[in-house]
């Protein structure tokens, strides 16, 4: 082989090495291991992957526009925190428990629905918009799911996990926001505070019931700073002096901090009752507050301005015309449309976060920096990159 040929071969080998390294980074390993074989999620619209719209079909664009390119049951432009978590663990997106067509429950199920509460609702969906699928109902659905898995396993039914999956699963909770915000306008902060102990108590008791079913690892997300949400900045009463330098409402955010402390203490007590379980408190509040306060530090432009809404201005939110809807107001058809750059916004529609914000929160969670007590997902799983 002459000198020129050797140079060509050497160059080719170098390119192949680079290609192999790139592929090793980009292509998920088929032998990636994870001790968590499934995720079972309980929550509201912040983690609903299609349950509400399966029960009450009426979804419309622009939800889903960024990642899925169509509405897929999520109250955002793309993926939720729970989606990113599933991807990081090498698991598929969670199928909603209420979705009868096209679901695959081999790696868990999602019991969350939009507008769900922890407490039993004392009103109707068609009166105040509260979901009938509160946490107690979601727990009963989980119990029914386990009973059916145990019953049908021997018959070889497809799309169901094996009966031993429940001790090898991650149980996630992202619920309580609607209990907190649902009556804020009418009752005020002090009125809402009266029943928050019941909320945290019920979350704790639900964890213990799932523990009795075999669950051993529980991840509970606290509440985000609702005082920074465009919808509440428009709808909730407040004075100019109640607005901080980031444009968020001080009093409401303070009340959320108090609730989160109450939740953290309740989970601490729960650990004493089930000492061989992992009961983890995830402080997403700190991450979301940072995004609202300093969006430009994280590659974004707008903290308290919704991407999808109507009215423009500081908040781009009109409570009469919600994202994706058209309404006749004062003789005019008004439509709440989406911006062209949701990646620059923390808020998608005034109440829910954008995919970009959800990814930043998920990244922070997966790093383990916001867990109490300290907990490393990396010890349980070969964490996969989330794009």
């Amino acid at each position: 082989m002459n000198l020129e040929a050797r140079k060509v071969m050497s160059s080719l080998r170098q390119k192949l090495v680079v290609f192999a390294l790139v592929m090793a980074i980009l292509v998920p390993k088929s032998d990636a291991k994870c001790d968590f074989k499934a995720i079972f999620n309980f929550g509201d619209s912040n983690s609903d992957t299609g349950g509400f719209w399966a029960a009450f079909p009426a979804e419309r664009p622009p939800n889903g526009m960024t990642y899925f390119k169509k509405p897929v049951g999520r109250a955002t432009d793309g993926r939720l925190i729970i989606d990113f978590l599933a991807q990081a663990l090498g698991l598929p997106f969670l199928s909603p428990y209420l979705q009868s067509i096209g679901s695959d429950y081999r790696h868990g199920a999602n019991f969350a629905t939009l507008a769900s509460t922890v407490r039993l609702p004392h009103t109707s969906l068609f009166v105040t918009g509260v979901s009938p699928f509160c946490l107690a109902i979601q727990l009963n659905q989980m119990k029914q799911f386990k009973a059916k898995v145990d019953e049908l396993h021997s018959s070889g039914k497809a799309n169901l996990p094996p009966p031993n999956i429940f001790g090898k699963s991650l149980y996630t909770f992202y619920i309580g926001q609607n209990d907190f915000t649902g009556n804020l306008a009418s009752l005020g902060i002090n009125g809402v505070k009266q029943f928050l102990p019941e909320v945290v108590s019920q979350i704790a008791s639900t964890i213990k019931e799932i523990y009795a079913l075999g669950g051993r690892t529980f991840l509970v997300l606290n509440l985000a700073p609702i005082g920074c949400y465009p919808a509440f900045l428009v709808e909730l009463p407040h004075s100019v002096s109640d607005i901080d330098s980031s444009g968020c409402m001080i009093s409401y955010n303070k009340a959320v901090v108090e609730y989160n402390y109450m939740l953290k203490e309740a989970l601490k007590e729960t650990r004493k009752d089930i000492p061989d379980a992992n009961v983890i408190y995830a402080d997403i509040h700190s991450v979301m507050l940072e995004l609202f306060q300093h969006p430009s530090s994280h590659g974004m432009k707008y903290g308290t301005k919704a991407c999808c809404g109507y009215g423009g201005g500081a908040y781009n939110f009109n409570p009469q015309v919600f994202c994706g809807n058209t309404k006749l107001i004062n003789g005019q058809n008004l439509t709440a449309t989406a911006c062209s750059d949701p990646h620059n916004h923390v808020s998608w529609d005034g109440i829910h976060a954008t995919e970009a914000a959800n990814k930043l929160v998920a990244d922070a969670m997966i790093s383990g920096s916001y867990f109490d007590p300290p907990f490393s997902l990396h010890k349980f799983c070969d964490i996969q990159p989330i794009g």
Side-chain angles (χ1 to χ4, degrees), residues 89-113:
L89 301 186
L91 299 174
F93 294 141
L94 292 185
S95 290
Y97 175 80
L98 294 172
Q99 183 175 282
S100 58
I101 300 172
S103 289
D104 187 337
Y105 301 115
R106 288 175 293 178
H107 296 284
N110 194 353
F111 303 99
T113 67

Side-chain angles (χ1 to χ4, degrees), residues 171-249:
Y171 296 84
T172 53
F173 294 78
Y174 192 5
I175 192 168
Q177 180 173 304
N178 295 314
D179 295 271
F180 192 96
T181 62
N183 296 300
L184 264 179
S186 58
L187 298 180
I189 292 173
N190 290 330
V192 168
K193 280 183 179 179
Q194 294 178 13
F195 55 75
L196 293 183
E198 180 187 345
V199 173
V200 299
S201 175
Q202 192 162 339
I203 291 174
S205 65
T206 302
I207 289 172
K208 293 176 194 175
E209 289 208 49
I210 297 174
Y211 174 86
L213 298 176
R216 289 298 179 269
T217 304
F218 305 89
L219 184 61
V220 184
L221 282 63
N222 66 5
L223 293 191
I226 63 101
C228 299
Y229 283 24
F232 300 129
L233 281 161
V234 170
E235 294 182 299
L236 294 178
H238 62 278
S239 62
V240 175
S241 61
D242 195 32
I243 300 295
D244 66 17
S245 59
S246 302
C248 300
M249 295 181 288

